[in-house]
Amino acid sequence: MTETDDLQAFLNDLDRQMHIKGDWGTPARYIPELADIDPAQFAISVALADGRVLSSGSAQKRFSIQSVSKVFTLAVALGRIGDQLWTRVGREPSGTSFDSIVLLEREQGRPRNPFINAGALVTTDAMLEGRMPQDALAELIQFLRAACEDDDIHIDKDVARSEAATAHRNTALVHYLLSHGNLHNAPELTLGTYVHQCAIAMTTQQLARAGRMLAGLPDAPRLISARRARRINALMMTCGHYDGSGDFAYRVGLPGKSGVGGGILIIAPGKASIAVWSPGLNHYGNSQVGTEAAQRLGQFTGWSVFG
Ligand code: GLN
């Protein structure tokens, strides 16, 4: 048996184990379109350095990538304005939930990092600057299609509409940012762009392929420099799971970015890009079974960056 055969057998077994365990968590309730999804679902895909993508579970099923999109808007925003972004948003873990507003008041409207909602809204605002939302979103979708070499990536308009109709906290955040001079576009334009980026739908196979550039895999399209990939990975490790980032680093030992759709993108630098999906969330708002599966995969492969 080759190493790849071993890994495929492990992934098949992982899918079985996760269904047997049956402790799925709860889907995001505050976005109506996501609230009724059956939590008893699981998918995992692993893009390897040899170009193969191994999967198990519902790896062809599209899900709402939600906050996983923040990794890609960060890459696009840094591509447009470079390090200037860091005058508007920090690079420190927040220790607060993804939609928290508390630190924003204490720190004069400069969000702690680009992965909490406040910081992601600033990043989206920077990506948007000087153009129409549809143009910024077209660039983002194009970037994702190029990253995974697959044009079949789209925005789920129903999810976007559903989130926009109930985006009370994010509306508060954009106005708070504006009051501190840290929003350059009209609040409804930045927020509209943000809910659409969050509503991008992808399969785990597509997401794993999109992450190859961050893992520095040989077959990844060269869309960002190695230095930028390293830095984005550092932010994913320290901030990618909000107030659950320490716990994810402890359990999995790899940079990861979660979304309330139940997806997690996980990067094993030089080795693999992994996407896992299961829509039930733990109390941090991160995929419950996705985290468990990532932990088991980390143990099986020994890919932890901590040795
Ligand atoms: N669109 C979601 C929100 O802003 C994204 C949050 C998440 O995935 N953690 O609430």
Side-chain angles (χ1 to χ4, degrees), residues 77-120:
L78 287 172
R80 281 178 75 79
I81 66 165
D83 284 346
Q84 271 181 56
L85 180 68
W86 305 121
T87 61
R88 299 180 58 192
V89 58
R91 299 192 293 260
E92 297 296 343
S94 70
T96 58
S97 64
F98 65 90
D99 55 0
S100 174
I101 199 167
V102 287
L103 290 172
L104 214 47
E105 174 159 27
R106 211 182 305 145
E107 298 177 0
Q108 283 80 46
R110 183 173 179 264
R112 276 282 175 99
N113 68 65
F115 294 150
I116 51 170
N117 284 9

Side-chain angles (χ1 to χ4, degrees), residues 189-241:
L189 291 190
T190 298
L191 185 58
T193 309
Y194 172 83
V195 297
H196 281 81
Q197 96 190 27
C198 288
I200 293 170
M202 291 171 79
T203 67
T204 55
Q205 285 196 345
Q206 290 174 325
L207 191 56
R209 285 172 62 79
R212 293 172 303 165
M213 60 177 175
L214 293 168
L217 300 189
D219 65 336
R222 300 246 165 271
L223 296 174
I224 56 172
S225 67
R227 184 165 90 144
R228 184 154 289 159
R230 235 180 347 261
R231 290 174 158 182
I232 292 175
N233 290 339
L235 289 163
M236 288 169 73
M237 179 69 96
T238 51
C239 312
H241 282 72

Side-chain angles (χ1 to χ4, degrees), residues 28 30-31 34 64-70 98-99 115-117 120-121 159 163 167 169-170 173 191 194-195 197-199 240 242 257-263 281 284-286:
Y30 71 103
I31 300 177
L34 300 181
S64 192
I65 68 169
Q66 291 296 320
S67 285
V68 183
S69 67
K70 295 169 181 173
F98 65 90
D99 55 0
F115 294 150
I116 51 170
N117 284 9
L121 287 161
V159 172
E163 180 171 357
R169 283 176 186 239
N170 287 328
L173 288 172
L191 185 58
Y194 172 83
V195 297
Q197 96 190 27
C198 288
Y242 322 110
K257 181 73 209 81
S258 65
V260 292
L281 308 179
Y284 299 117
N286 304 318

Side-chain angles (χ1 to χ4, degrees), residues 7-287:
L7 183 56
Q8 183 62 62
F10 171 81
L11 296 177
N12 294 344
D13 192 49
L14 188 61
D15 178 39
R16 261 193 305 274
Q17 296 289 332
M18 294 298 105
H19 279 88
I20 292 167
K21 200 160 183 278
D23 180 14
W24 297 100
T26 316
R29 290 238 167 80
Y30 71 103
I31 300 177
E33 196 71 21
L34 300 181
D36 293 333
I37 194 160
D38 177 8
Q41 301 187 72
F42 176 74
I44 188 165
S45 296
V46 183
L48 294 163
D50 66 6
R52 278 189 282 180
V53 182
L54 307 184
S55 296
S56 74
S58 313
Q60 307 282 7
K61 183 156 183 175
R62 285 168 206 277
F63 61 93
S64 192
I65 68 169
Q66 291 296 320
S67 285
V68 183
S69 67
K70 295 169 181 173
V71 172
F72 302 104
T73 45
L74 177 62
V76 171
L78 287 172
R80 281 178 75 79
I81 66 165
D83 284 346
Q84 271 181 56
L85 180 68
W86 305 121
T87 61
R88 299 180 58 192
V89 58
R91 299 192 293 260
E92 297 296 343
S94 70
T96 58
S97 64
F98 65 90
D99 55 0
S100 174
I101 199 167
V102 287
L103 290 172
L104 214 47
E105 174 159 27
R106 211 182 305 145
E107 298 177 0
Q108 283 80 46
R110 183 173 179 264
R112 276 282 175 99
N113 68 65
F115 294 150
I116 51 170
N117 284 9
L121 287 161
V122 169
T123 307
T124 298
D125 192 61
M127 173 177 84
L128 183 56
E129 187 126 12
R131 53 187 177 161
M132 297 303 289
Q134 53 270 36
D135 296 331
L137 287 166
E139 182 185 357
L140 177 64
I141 294 284
Q142 207 36 55
F143 183 83
L144 271 169
R145 288 175 177 168
C148 64
E149 298 169 294
D150 183 345
D151 282 346
D152 194 14
I153 295 176
H154 309 275
I155 293 171
D156 183 330
K157 297 267 166 47
D158 293 335
V159 172
R161 217 172 294 124
S162 171
E163 180 171 357
T166 55
H168 310 302
R169 283 176 186 239
N170 287 328
T171 303
L173 288 172
V174 277
H175 283 274
Y176 207 84
L177 290 164
L178 180 64
S179 77
H180 278 283
N182 200 6
L183 200 79
H184 297 178
N185 301 279
E188 58 280 7
L189 291 190
T190 298
L191 185 58
T193 309
Y194 172 83
V195 297
H196 281 81
Q197 96 190 27
C198 288
I200 293 170
M202 291 171 79
T203 67
T204 55
Q205 285 196 345
Q206 290 174 325
L207 191 56
R209 285 172 62 79
R212 293 172 303 165
M213 60 177 175
L214 293 168
L217 300 189
D219 65 336
R222 300 246 165 271
L223 296 174
I224 56 172
S225 67
R227 184 165 90 144
R228 184 154 289 159
R230 235 180 347 261
R231 290 174 158 182
I232 292 175
N233 290 339
L235 289 163
M236 288 169 73
M237 179 69 96
T238 51
C239 312
H241 282 72
Y242 322 110
D243 47 341
S245 298
D247 190 54
F248 190 84
Y250 180 86
R251 291 176 62 185
V252 182
L254 295 169
K257 181 73 209 81
S258 65
V260 292
I264 310 177
L265 174 64
I266 303 154
I267 303 301
K271 301 203 169 67
S273 164
I274 303 140
V276 58
W277 171 67
S278 182
L281 308 179
N282 61 24
H283 69 279
Y284 299 117
N286 304 318
S287 176

